[in-house]
Amino acid sequence: MEDPKIPRRGLRWSAGLLATTMLTGIAAPAAAQTSAAGSGTAVGLEEVVVTAQKRSENLQDVPVSIVALGSQKLDQLQISDYQDFMKFLPSVSFKRAGPGFTNIYMRGVASGENGNHSGPLPSVGVYLDEQPVTTITGPLEVHIYDIERVEALAGPQGTLYGASSQAGTIRIITNKPSTAGFKAGYDVQLNTVAHGDQGYSAEGFVNQPLTDKMAVRIVGWAVHDAGFIDNVKGTRTFPTGNITINNNQAAEDNYNDVDTYGARAALKIDLDDNWTVTPQIMAQRTEANGLFAYDPTVGKLKVTHFYPEKSDDKWAQATMTIQGKVSNLDLTYAGAYLRRWIDTQSDYSDYSYFYDTMFGYGAYITDDAGHFINSSQYIQGKDYFTKQSHEFRVTTPADQKLRLVAGLFYQRQTHNIQQRYRIDNLAGSLEVPGWPDTLWLTKQLRTDKDYAAFGEAAFDVTSKLTVTGGIRFFKAKNSLVGFFGFGPGYSSSTGVAKCFGPAVVEGGPCTNLDKSTSESGHTYRLNAQYKFDRERMVYVTYSTGFRPGGINRRGTLPPYKSDFLKNLEFGWKTSWLDNRLRWNGDVYSEKWNNFQFSFLGANGLTEIRNANSAKMKGVETDVNWRVTEGLSITAAAAYTDAKLSEPYCNDILVDPTCLNVDAPKGQRLPLTAKFKGNITARYEWDLGEMRAHVQGSAERNGSFWPELRTVERNIEGKVPAYTSVDLAAGVERANWRAEVYVKNLFDKLGETGRFAECATSVCGAETYRYVITPRTIGIKFGQSF
């Protein structure tokens, strides 16, 4: 019986971009200063301020690999969600099982986890302002509107950001309330998707001062994304009983549409000249239908599925940030409380069909009269998450020769898991007790806790040389309790048959798992930065990152341990041509020890093992060039070489010498292309009383394997490289603006991933392919007040 999974709907990891030119990089999206229109004289790039090191600093002064997309760049690139902005982050890859279900990876630190609810924690942390929003199975997918900037910090960020920042951190910084005056705006757009339907969106914000020390900012959005996958009519015959089914009731064109709506409200209160309190609440709901992949055995952008597929992802987060001064020390408290509810339904008939065809599974599935029935399964899930986090830190003045950041951090996450595998008209004797038509049930509570104390000190040895050292001491706890498995009438050795006590998770028939594990340790960072002058700097960093271990719910397996990442990096940040050209970059070498790998083991249950080790080497670079007053070019690229440094074996517990190799030494890690890049050119000019612009972007994502293991990757095949092109043109005048755009101009069927519905060795004959959205043509209008 396959382990319950988060549903696999999703236009997959929207990856990468061109850069067939070797102008490689998106430096922070610095907007250029303005000058007299039509002068033809190039002007310098604006300073970009980031807060990657827990204080406001010029991007060019920060000795960390950062890509920053500011509000202007986010708008120019038509970015509204994760898959939009991640294609402009060369070091980032992601696996997206549908809206709301994204796993993010950086610098090739990816083993191809199946995203199971009792599997490893994410290796990349996502923050909304000061608060982490990475839940146990992945981050919240925050709609991108009225956002100040997005920062992507590559490499271990374990000193200042902790456990889920093993491979890097992505920070989404919202626009804050301002007492400077009233401000408001809105944007509306319509679009049409090739081979699909029409989409639309409406977004708006209001900033209103209440007094000279208090202001409120309210933001809202409603977005409809058009579907483009067809669920076409078809039949399937199960060998056992010679039963034929059809999907006449479920067939529908363009059935993977999405509706997202939400709001954010923040209040800023200046208590006095030194203290500010900023409470904020944000809520969002995403309702998605269908599957976001197609089945090539059925046809281009087509599937034949037999049961309704949908997800309803709702979440709300309340946060509080308090900032102030005591003497010359800056104090910050950041706290958050999150609740998230996800209701899902997924077709699982591939599993039933292939197991019946290969192993006669249907012979065990009958009705109360003992007759063979349609053994197709479908999954109904109800997942409830809570998360609270608290951080308190102290920062010394930035103008001192010795600068310190120190703090304490606590985080607690829970996931109440309900996954119900249903077969209509199932015999009562085969059901999980108390759950009609349910062959398999997961009813568990997972709890993860993190405690940390951290500190980082920077010292100016000379006016040119600065050294930095940081350390983070951590303790992590993980527990998993509840029920999983079959009813007593279906299995005498698993499920209810293995229960040892009454139910402790409400709704479960009994308890057959109750385990916990804890670990402690530390990560650290050492950095040296040398400034040749105000425009050019180099740095070298040695840093480490970690990811906590956890419980294997198969009771005979030990817990999986933390895995650690070591990083050695050399980077540069430079400005040229009177600050009209910025060129930043880095080279790095990383080693990933005892990395966690999840796979389907005996009885189709997810198992997590600590594999041997892997090495990642790469180059990242970015360019931002203000060619003339009207013309700007930005580009970014990354080359990533991620390979096993030791062979991998699934059965390492019974085969410690690894005689049966599942992936040999030197095998490429999955999910990350060797090359990913993008380039954008934008030209602006005066058109009468209006300001006009045209823009073109090209994005390139190289080929990659969806799986780590040799047999499985040979079944699923290699994901080919692709290139997509976006165009936009528009005008603005006074307080209004209008734009037309085309995304994926040449309608490329760019693949972003592959998967089979159950174990690849069983269901691999029906391998699904995730693709980028087909050509989308749209028009956008907005006003500011």
Side-chain angles (χ1 to χ4, degrees):
M1 183 69 194
E2 188 192 3
D3 190 31
K5 294 186 182 65
I6 289 176
R8 312 165 182 74
R9 45 179 62 77
L11 214 188
R12 239 58 254 144
W13 12 328
S14 166
L17 323 165
L18 170 76
T20 46
T21 81
M22 285 296 139
L23 280 174
T24 47
I26 268 190
Q33 299 169 355
T34 59
S35 67
S39 68
T41 302
V43 294
L45 299 166
E46 284 185 349
E47 176 181 297
V48 179
V49 176
V50 297
T51 52
Q53 298 190 118
K54 305 287 188 178
R55 64 170 85 236
S56 295
E57 300 171 288
N58 183 344
L59 172 72
Q60 295 301 101
D61 294 333
V62 180
V64 176
S65 175
I66 307 175
V67 172
L69 303 174
S71 58
Q72 186 180 51
K73 197 70 173 183
L74 292 169
D75 182 63
Q76 290 175 356
L77 295 173
Q78 301 289 341
I79 290 173
S80 63
D81 59 24
Y82 280 18
Q83 63 179 349
D84 285 339
F85 73 71
M86 286 184 192
K87 65 185 180 182
F88 294 100
L89 305 178
S91 295
V92 176
S93 60
F94 65 100
K95 185 167 78 171
R96 192 168 187 252
F101 306 102
T102 300
N103 290 311
I104 304 171
Y105 310 98
M106 299 185 79
R107 287 185 171 176
V109 182
S111 61
E113 298 94 341
N114 62 10
N116 184 263
H117 48 71
S118 57
L121 288 169
S123 63
V124 173
V126 177
Y127 278 66
L128 179 63
D129 294 321
E130 294 282 349
Q131 291 81 10
V133 292
T134 309
T135 64
I136 288 171
T137 57
L140 302 180
E141 292 199 17
V142 179
H143 180 69
I144 305 300
Y145 181 72
D146 195 43
I147 298 298
E148 181 179 338
R149 68 184 178 276
V150 173
E151 298 176 3
L153 289 63
Q157 301 295 325
T159 302
L160 295 179
Y161 292 98
S164 284
S165 293
Q166 177 191 49
T169 301
I170 294 175
R171 306 180 66 234
I172 302 169
I173 314 298
T174 63
N175 284 321
K176 304 300 186 297
S178 172
T179 58
F182 172 81
K183 190 175 182 180
Y186 71 88
D187 291 276
V188 294
Q189 65 175 301
L190 297 172
N191 58 65
T192 183
V193 177
H195 323 290
D197 270 338
Q198 288 71 50
Y200 51 84
S201 68
E203 305 159 311
F205 77 93
V206 174
N207 182 91
Q208 177 63 62
L210 303 177
T211 69
D212 60 347
K213 294 184 177 294
M214 185 183 303
V216 64
R217 194 178 191 97
I218 300 173
V219 187
W221 56 91
V223 182
H224 176 76
D225 293 324
F228 55 88
I229 301 290
D230 296 338
N231 188 17
V232 300
K233 290 183 179 182
T235 62
R236 171 173 276 169
T237 300
F238 290 82
T240 301
N242 193 32
I243 296 173
T244 299
I245 63 173
N246 64 64
N247 68 339
N248 292 344
Q249 297 301 314
E252 181 183 355
D253 289 345
N254 309 316
Y255 87 134
N256 63 322
D257 59 316
V258 184
D259 287 291
T260 301
Y261 44 94
R264 184 175 76 242
L267 179 67
K268 178 183 178 183
I269 307 171
D270 294 326
L271 301 178
D272 56 29
D273 292 339
N274 292 325
W275 288 89
T276 298
V277 177
T278 310
Q280 178 174 280
I281 187 168
M282 183 174 180
Q284 182 173 290
R285 183 173 189 175
T286 301
E287 297 176 292
N289 296 303
L291 187 72
F292 290 79
Y294 78 95
D295 181 352
T297 66
V298 178
K300 176 182 175 181
L301 300 179
K302 299 181 186 300
V303 296
T304 298
H305 276 199
F306 296 86
Y307 292 90
E309 297 175 284
K310 59 184 178 181
S311 68
D312 186 0
D313 180 10
K314 304 180 291 288
W315 55 266
Q317 177 175 262
T319 67
M320 175 74 76
T321 302
I322 303 173
Q323 297 171 300
K325 281 184 174 292
V326 174
S327 184
N328 67 341
L329 301 177
D330 292 320
L331 277 65
T332 300
Y333 164 77
Y337 181 73
L338 167 72
R339 298 176 70 185
R340 185 183 188 188
W341 305 261
I342 306 177
D343 292 335
T344 58
Q345 182 161 313
S346 304
D347 184 288
Y348 203 46
S349 57
D350 286 2
Y351 171 94
S352 308
Y353 172 75
F354 284 107
Y355 268 89
D356 190 26
T357 300
M358 298 175 68
F359 307 112
Y361 146 87
Y364 305 97
I365 307 299
T366 63
D367 60 17
D368 286 325
H371 300 139
F372 293 138
I373 59 173
N374 170 19
S375 59
S376 294
Q377 296 184 34
Y378 56 98
I379 309 169
Q380 291 179 335
K382 288 184 177 293
D383 296 88
Y384 173 59
F385 300 81
T386 68
K387 180 185 179 80
Q388 61 171 301
S389 63
H390 305 273
E391 180 173 303
F392 173 77
R393 67 177 183 271
V394 180
T395 307
T396 63
D399 58 359
Q400 293 185 352
K401 194 171 185 178
L402 175 64
R403 300 173 295 282
L404 302 172
V405 178
L408 300 172
F409 177 80
Y410 169 71
Q411 176 177 271
R412 182 179 188 271
Q413 304 183 74
T414 68
H415 181 190
N416 192 304
I417 307 157
Q418 177 179 307
Q419 298 286 326
R420 183 182 181 187
Y421 285 65
R422 300 193 60 171
I423 299 175
D424 292 337
N425 302 314
L426 183 66
S429 61
L430 301 178
E431 298 170 345
V432 175
W435 293 84
D437 290 341
T438 302
L439 183 68
W440 170 286
L441 177 70
T442 299
K443 201 76 175 82
Q444 298 172 330
L445 178 65
R446 173 174 174 170
T447 304
D448 289 75
K449 297 180 181 180
D450 296 283
Y451 308 81
F454 62 89
E456 191 166 278
F459 179 69
D460 295 331
V461 180
T462 69
S463 60
K464 295 180 179 292
L465 177 63
T466 300
V467 295
T468 302
I471 193 166
R472 188 182 188 98
F473 298 96
F474 67 85
K475 183 174 183 179
K477 294 183 177 181
N478 170 264
S479 65
L480 191 63
V481 60
F483 173 83
F484 67 100
F486 301 107
Y490 190 83
S491 173
S492 60
S493 60
T494 61
V496 172
K498 283 292 184 179
C499 282
F500 50 75
V504 294
V505 177
E506 184 179 357
C510 51
T511 298
N512 59 12
L513 177 67
D514 189 354
K515 285 193 172 185
S516 63
T517 185
S518 64
E519 294 179 280
S520 61
H522 67 275
T523 61
Y524 55 91
R525 173 177 177 259
L526 301 172
N527 174 273
Q529 171 188 7
Y530 187 81
K531 293 184 177 181
F532 295 97
D533 50 41
R534 294 184 62 183
E535 286 77 34
R536 285 163 283 274
M537 166 266 277
V538 295
Y539 67 88
V540 61
T541 298
Y542 182 79
S543 57
T544 63
F546 82 102
R547 177 170 52 168
I551 293 297
N552 264 299
R553 63 176 171 175
R554 185 184 293 278
T556 57
L557 297 178
Y560 54 95
K561 301 296 183 180
S562 295
D563 54 12
F564 287 82
L565 185 68
K566 297 180 179 179
N567 171 59
L568 179 61
E569 177 179 332
F570 171 78
W572 62 92
K573 295 193 174 182
T574 63
S575 298
W576 307 86
L577 304 178
D578 296 326
N579 195 34
R580 291 190 289 110
L581 174 66
R582 287 182 186 150
W583 177 41
N584 299 339
D586 62 83
V587 295
Y588 64 87
S589 176
E590 298 184 337
K591 187 172 183 179
W592 194 15
N593 291 321
N594 300 317
F595 67 85
Q596 298 166 14
F597 180 67
S598 57
F599 63 95
L600 295 179
N603 299 87
L605 281 176
T606 290
E607 299 180 8
I608 303 95
R609 304 280 177 83
N610 288 93
N612 285 316
S613 61
K615 289 184 178 179
M616 287 68 65
K617 297 179 181 179
V619 180
E620 302 160 335
T621 182
D622 59 70
V623 170
N624 194 340
W625 184 18
R626 187 70 166 178
V627 184
T628 68
E629 188 277 330
L631 176 63
S632 60
I633 298 174
T634 57
Y639 174 82
T640 308
D641 185 18
K643 297 178 179 179
L644 288 175
S645 53
E646 299 291 341
Y648 170 72
C649 302
N650 281 355
D651 298 323
I652 196 69
L653 295 178
V654 297
D655 181 19
T657 59
C658 201
L659 295 176
N660 298 308
V661 175
D662 291 278
K665 178 181 178 179
Q667 184 124 294
R668 278 180 60 185
L669 296 185
L671 304 177
T672 303
K674 278 191 174 182
F675 177 80
K676 180 182 178 183
N678 64 78
I679 183 169
T680 299
R682 183 179 178 90
Y683 184 69
E684 300 180 1
W685 74 97
D686 288 335
L687 184 63
E689 297 182 354
M690 297 183 294
R691 186 71 171 170
H693 69 266
V694 293
Q695 177 179 285
S697 298
E699 309 142 24
R700 175 70 174 178
N701 201 74
S703 62
F704 62 90
W705 293 97
E707 248 280 0
L708 173 66
R709 297 166 293 176
T710 303
V711 171
E712 284 75 7
R713 66 166 51 185
N714 287 339
I715 294 173
E716 292 188 348
K718 193 175 186 180
V719 176
Y722 71 88
T723 300
S724 68
V725 176
D726 300 342
L727 297 178
V731 295
E732 58 181 288
R733 177 182 178 183
N735 73 331
W736 63 267
R737 56 198 172 273
E739 186 175 53
V740 294
Y741 62 87
V742 182
K743 293 184 178 181
N744 193 5
L745 174 66
F746 300 109
D747 198 23
K748 293 291 185 180
L749 196 65
E751 285 189 44
T752 58
R754 296 181 179 183
F755 80 95
E757 201 169 82
C758 67
T760 307
S761 58
V762 178
C763 293
E766 196 144 10
T767 295
Y768 296 87
R769 302 182 181 188
Y770 299 111
V771 293
I772 61 176
T773 305
R775 180 175 55 241
T776 303
I777 302 174
I779 184 169
K780 185 175 182 180
F781 179 83
Q783 284 186 285
S784 299
F785 306 96

